[in-house]
Amino acid sequence: MVSRGTFGDAGDSWDSAARRCPRHSCARGLRVLPLSAMDTAWLHMDRSDNPLVINALLVLEQSADIAAVIDRFVELVVHEYPRFRQVVLTRPGVVSVPVWKDVEVVLTDHLQHVHLAPAGLKEDLWATVGPLLDAPLSPDQPLWSLTDIRGLASQQRVLLFRAHHVIGDGMAMAKLLLSLCDEDDVGLPRPRGRAQAPDGPWVERVTARLDAGVDMVRAATQLVTMNPETPSPLMGPLDGTKQVAWSEPFPLSRIQTVRDALGGTVNDVLVSAVAGALHVTLDDPELADLHALVPVYLHPLSAPIPKDLGNHFAPIFLRLPSSTPNAVTRLQHVRRRTHSLKKGQMPLVSAAAVHVIGHAPRSVENVAVDHFAARASLVLTNVPGPRSAVHVAGARIDDILFFVPQPASIGVGLSLFSYNGSVRLGVSADSARDLSPERLARAFAAELTALEAAAKRVGTS
């Protein structure tokens, strides 16, 4: 059930959406459903000083009607996906069993207004968004929120969407937001097909399965015996306050030119630029290669959004060549390392490990999560978005920015998102980390430009 409420103090309202909300019976309100093991694991990775919440910022054109956008969200997301009308309860026992329970949704509990500093500059928006990412979502209410951020000097409208990772993974949340668009086809890039099982003579099929089994054992061994991350400015305790920034948009066509000249994939080029930006920003002569926790999605991008949403990805460790000073050499390292991960069985092994952690007693789960979090310095995601500008409730979306959550003690999140022919890097970092998000965002664009210059030299040689 969704209750009516009045949105804000400027005549905005969602009364129309509330009236359209279907009424759920009391019997449905008593229904409980157990969480999947994967979702349980991500629920318990949440920390008071590091909320495991997915954050997305929609920057809309000046004429956008925020109340109409929220009406659309209530109608197409809150009404349609049960997780946005449920809370998580935990049943006591040796192995606690968390369950989903239907509740009444009071919209006023999930929406708020925030006003920027008088100047309304981009830096003021950064300073406002950072503290919003620190705030935990109340466990007594469904774990999502929308914040209308007002006062940008450009007069663009800004809406911050937040949802706890237990509801669904980053890909599910991105597809949910894009489902609000007016366009029937938002122009997502075609997914690259997954490797198919061999279909040749039986000897080849058996050999392929044996090879996969050996790879799985090797991957499991690597996962368990992986050394803790080398001490760096990105390691240590958290203080629970976040700072954010994002890069200027960089045209994908220019990145594709780099790929064509230097080899690899667009993702390889972007990841190598991230590694270069870390090398420049941290400016530590003793800096070692840093490990990033990278999600590998187990469902194809074209798959429909499941009604129960959930987490359908495996986190893997990618060693970034952050200690390498040369841009082209970094790209070569990234190409080799990502190729090795794609060939192996690490995603399946990692998914199995998260599944096991989700079934373990809480004390064992905490130890396992801390063990793996100590093996990475940051979380890095790359989500492809619409190739052209899209609209919601008649308003053009000028920009979409994501801020990936970080489990346990990991204090830096880097989010690549492509939209309307360009890509941006969103940076969020705990203020205890010796890292300037603004400087890193600028360095990322500079590294892409350096790779572009190297590609031109190859083209003229």
Side-chain angles (χ1 to χ4, degrees):
M1 181 184 299
V2 178
S3 296
R4 295 174 60 183
T6 300
F7 176 40
D9 54 3
D12 296 319
S13 72
W14 59 76
D15 286 357
S16 58
R19 283 195 295 269
R20 291 195 300 271
C21 183
R23 295 277 175 175
H24 304 295
S25 68
C26 293
R28 177 167 180 169
L30 296 175
R31 184 184 61 171
V32 294
L33 299 168
L35 273 68
S36 71
M38 188 81 77
D39 293 346
T40 299
W42 290 105
L43 170 70
H44 291 162
M45 290 185 202
D46 190 272
R47 298 288 189 271
S48 60
D49 59 358
N50 205 13
L52 202 67
V53 176
I54 296 165
N55 304 277
L57 203 66
L58 300 182
V59 182
L60 305 163
E61 64 178 326
Q62 299 173 4
S63 60
D65 182 347
I66 290 296
V69 175
I70 292 174
D71 272 0
R72 178 78 61 88
F73 181 87
V74 172
E75 179 182 6
L76 299 183
V77 175
V78 180
H79 289 176
E80 296 298 324
Y81 293 91
R83 296 296 179 257
F84 286 82
R85 306 189 305 272
Q86 295 172 326
V87 297
V88 178
L89 302 178
T90 300
R91 292 175 171 174
V94 176
V95 178
S96 60
V97 180
V99 294
W100 292 107
K101 182 181 183 298
D102 292 332
V103 294
E104 180 180 355
V105 178
V106 180
L107 291 176
T108 48
D109 293 337
H110 296 270
L111 293 105
Q112 62 176 325
H113 289 303
V114 172
H115 289 264
L116 298 180
L121 302 176
K122 176 177 63 177
E123 291 77 11
D124 298 315
L125 183 56
W126 290 347
T128 298
V129 170
L132 293 174
L133 306 193
D134 299 334
L137 297 170
S138 172
D140 298 326
Q141 302 159 2
L143 295 168
W144 62 273
S145 71
L146 289 171
T147 302
D148 173 25
I149 304 176
R150 300 180 174 185
L152 202 57
S154 65
Q155 298 184 11
Q156 292 167 300
R157 305 301 301 269
V158 180
L159 194 64
L160 175 66
F161 165 69
R162 307 185 71 217
H164 196 285
H165 219 309
V166 70
I167 290 179
D169 55 43
M171 187 66 76
M173 295 302 104
K175 291 167 76 172
L176 264 190
L177 289 177
L178 294 175
S179 73
L180 305 180
C181 294
D182 301 338
E183 288 80 3
D184 293 330
D185 180 7
V186 297
L188 290 176
R190 290 184 178 274
R192 295 179 184 273
R194 295 185 178 274
Q196 300 296 315
D199 193 26
W202 71 269
V203 174
E204 294 180 11
R205 297 200 301 272
V206 170
T207 301
R209 289 189 176 92
L210 288 174
D211 288 344
V214 171
D215 285 344
M216 195 165 291
V217 171
R218 184 184 297 116
T221 302
Q222 291 173 349
L223 190 63
V224 172
T225 61
M226 187 177 177
N227 291 325
E229 187 79 319
T230 303
S232 78
L234 302 189
M235 303 297 288
L238 305 173
D239 70 9
T241 58
K242 285 203 168 41
Q243 300 172 320
V244 305
W246 47 85
S247 67
E248 293 298 317
F250 198 97
L252 280 169
S253 59
R254 291 165 61 184
I255 297 170
Q256 290 163 348
T257 299
V258 173
R259 173 202 63 191
D260 294 342
L262 301 181
T265 65
V266 166
N267 182 70
D268 292 339
V269 175
L270 293 172
V271 171
S272 64
V274 166
L278 289 166
H279 177 84
V280 170
T281 306
L282 296 176
D283 192 23
D284 181 353
E286 298 183 359
L287 182 68
D289 284 356
L290 301 173
H291 284 87
L293 204 61
V294 178
V296 174
Y297 292 96
L298 305 177
H299 287 178
L301 187 62
S302 57
I305 309 172
K307 278 293 184 182
D308 59 355
L309 300 172
N311 290 276
H312 305 282
F313 74 99
I316 63 172
F317 294 92
L318 173 62
R319 186 161 64 94
L320 301 174
S322 48
S323 64
T324 303
N326 182 271
V328 176
T329 305
R330 278 196 300 267
L331 177 56
Q332 293 169 347
H333 288 327
V334 169
R335 286 176 57 192
R336 186 177 67 255
R337 293 170 189 177
T338 56
H339 180 70
S340 177
L341 286 172
K342 288 174 185 175
K343 283 176 52 183
Q345 301 294 319
M346 185 61 78
L348 293 179
V349 170
S350 176
V354 174
H355 187 83
V356 171
I357 288 172
H359 278 303
R362 188 66 184 272
S363 58
V364 175
E365 185 178 18
N366 289 340
V367 171
V369 169
D370 290 340
H371 171 85
F372 289 115
R375 271 77 186 154
S377 295
L378 60 117
V379 179
L380 174 62
T381 64
N382 183 8
V383 177
R387 292 186 292 264
S388 303
V390 292
H391 302 73
V392 57
R396 185 183 64 250
I397 300 177
D398 289 338
D399 254 319
I400 308 175
L401 296 154
F402 278 87
F403 300 99
V404 63
Q406 307 100 51
S409 60
I410 299 177
V412 176
L414 307 180
S415 307
L416 293 159
F417 189 80
S418 58
Y419 174 66
N420 193 23
S422 295
V423 65
R424 283 188 189 264
L425 177 68
V427 183
S428 64
D430 188 273
S431 60
R433 295 292 181 257
D434 188 13
L435 178 73
S436 164
E438 181 179 2
R439 189 178 173 203
L440 181 64
R442 289 199 309 266
F444 170 72
E447 289 301 315
L448 287 174
T449 301
L451 282 167
E452 189 176 29
K456 289 179 180 177
R457 289 194 296 271
V458 169
T460 57
S461 61

